[in-house]
Amino acid sequence: MRGLASNSMELVVRSISGINSPLVIRVQDAQPGERVRIHVSAVDAEKQPWSNEQVFHADEHGVVDVATSFPESALWSPPHHCGLLWTMRPDSIGTNDGEAGAFELNGLASVHIHVKARSEEEGWGALVQRTIAREVEECAAPKGCSGFSPNHRAPGVLLLVDTPPATASASAAALAHHGFTVFYCPEIPADRLPELAAEIHEHEHVDSELPLALVAQGRSCADAIHLASTHPDLIGPVVAHSPSDVHCDRPGFSAFMKSAVTGHPAKLWDFYQHAHAKATPLDLSGMTGPLLLTAGTDDAVWDSVVMSTNLEKAAREHNIEVFRVEYPAAGHASGYPFCFSGLPATTVIKDHGHRIAVGGDADANGRAAHNSREQVISFLSSAFDISD
């Protein structure tokens, strides 16, 4: 912990901490009830500045603690140590604009957050470093993939996404921190997945005596479930965030025409509702499990609550150990490690040049990412019988 004082007041921060760990910002020795402004800013991997400023009131002890103090704006409720981060927005977009993009990361590069606090008469500043993963190193990976390992042979995890998340390869690095060798492989054709998975399974940093785990989000969940069903000797645990229960085609240009005209993010709910009626259901019959399904109740892309419920029912019919979690008021993109609880939460994602509304709000999506992280780590650790 580090404190910076000006006259009687003091700003206390934790100078170095993990990207998803509690954000420690505390102002001490203010006057009870005094209004204190706290400003945070950072620059992402694409050189885009982000910031947020909120007003808090000191408690009866003269303390403002972002973990327990409530902001005047009520942008998040109840108080949470990462609320200031969830509600950060690009400097060129208004604080309440729900059309902001996502905070970009890459690999093991740390995020530096500038913290400023001021009252009517005093001001302080501090720099906070948020690390992606300590004691993890990048390792050799198949073409088109990135790999991260905890410096020893460990259970292997393959991340599948057809829309590269803003967290990019940092997703693999962060998950590797918890004792897994993780490979991030965006946009891999489905017919190449069995060969890729077999290659990763024999990697020098992967424990080949254990099956591979798959973590997928959105459309890629269908590929993950198909791979696990057709190669049960290779694939074991599967995490499916915001899954569909059918094989879905990628929307064509017509689905984005209105967005192109208005400039607003595309809304794909109607497209997928229509496509779902004609699509082929997923076959889980060959899976060995276990299976973790997650869904936000405000998913704006498709009805992942209903579809994850259908998948849960199918899994139980095939005696697959299955767990299903709903995230209240959260959108389509809140699953760990594709979303981090210690970053700005977004309601919009980018997909091959298109901006897509995913639902939820900064508060609900941030809380969902926080819960998802705990659940994914617990699920994988239990499946592989390792302690976090």
Side-chain angles (χ1 to χ4, degrees), residues 12-355:
V12 179
V13 301
R14 179 174 294 159
S15 299
I16 300 176
S17 57
I19 189 74
N20 293 302
S21 62
L23 178 68
V24 176
I25 301 177
R26 181 182 172 94
V27 175
Q28 301 177 162
D29 299 325
Q31 294 297 316
E34 185 173 7
R35 298 174 81 245
V36 177
R37 295 181 179 273
I38 297 181
H39 182 276
V40 291
S41 61
V43 178
D44 70 14
E46 294 298 316
K47 309 302 182 184
Q48 168 66 52
W50 292 68
S51 64
N52 188 16
E53 182 172 291
Q54 298 294 324
V55 176
F56 300 84
H57 290 260
D59 64 17
E60 66 272 20
H61 304 293
V63 172
V64 171
D65 188 329
V66 298
T68 57
S69 299
F70 193 71
E72 274 189 1
S73 67
L75 283 179
W76 64 93
S77 177
H80 193 281
H81 54 77
C82 282
L84 269 173
L85 301 180
W86 297 340
T87 50
M88 289 177 73
R89 288 294 177 263
D91 283 355
S92 59
I93 297 180
T95 300
N96 295 314
D97 191 327
E99 299 182 359
F103 192 98
E104 302 281 345
L105 292 180
N106 191 26
L108 292 166
S110 299
V111 175
H112 293 88
I113 299 176
H114 294 267
V115 181
K116 297 178 181 177
R118 69 178 188 273
S119 64
E120 292 296 328
E121 299 179 353
E122 300 176 284
W124 320 264
L127 179 64
V128 173
Q129 180 180 352
R130 304 279 278 179
T131 60
I132 302 298
R134 306 175 80 172
E135 300 180 0
V136 166
E137 64 180 20
E138 190 165 6
C139 60
K143 184 178 180 180
C145 302
S146 301
F148 295 86
S149 170
N151 304 317
H152 57 78
R153 291 177 75 244
V157 180
L158 174 56
L159 306 183
L160 297 179
V161 288
D162 64 345
T163 300
T167 48
S169 58
S171 295
L175 187 55
H177 174 75
H178 299 282
F180 310 102
T181 296
V182 187
F183 295 88
Y184 164 73
C185 300
E187 303 183 278
I188 299 298
D191 59 0
R192 190 191 161 204
L193 283 178
E195 176 186 355
L196 174 67
E199 181 180 353
I200 288 175
H201 193 238
E202 298 302 318
H203 192 280
E204 62 179 339
H205 290 293
V206 171
D207 186 344
S208 59
E209 294 183 1
L210 299 171
L212 279 182
L214 303 177
V215 182
Q217 179 168 280
R219 281 192 303 265
S220 289
C221 293
D223 292 335
I225 289 173
H226 178 72
L227 183 60
S229 297
T230 55
H231 294 77
D233 55 332
L234 180 62
I235 306 299
V238 175
V239 177
H241 296 303
S242 303
S244 171
D245 60 350
V246 298
H247 290 279
C248 293
D249 292 331
R250 184 185 295 276
F253 177 75
S254 60
F256 298 98
M257 288 183 61
K258 184 176 181 179
S259 174
V261 173
T262 64
H264 296 304
K267 298 180 179 180
L268 299 180
W269 180 276
D270 290 343
F271 168 83
Y272 281 117
Q273 285 291 94
H274 179 73
H276 186 272
K278 302 180 293 183
T280 303
L282 299 180
D283 181 6
L284 281 64
S285 60
M287 286 186 68
T288 58
L291 173 63
L292 172 63
L293 303 163
T294 74
T297 63
D298 193 37
D299 191 330
V301 176
W302 58 40
D303 196 340
S304 58
V305 170
V306 168
M307 291 192 282
S308 64
T309 300
N310 293 340
L311 289 173
E312 179 186 26
K313 180 180 178 181
R316 296 195 187 283
E317 289 175 351
H318 293 293
N319 296 314
I320 299 167
E321 185 179 19
V322 59
F323 307 89
R324 195 179 74 87
V325 181
E326 290 184 12
Y327 300 131
H332 185 77
S334 301
Y336 186 78
F338 307 116
C339 295
F340 288 0
S341 61
L343 289 180
T346 182
T347 58
V348 175
I349 61 173
K350 295 180 181 178
D351 184 359
H352 299 84
H354 302 290
R355 297 169 67 242

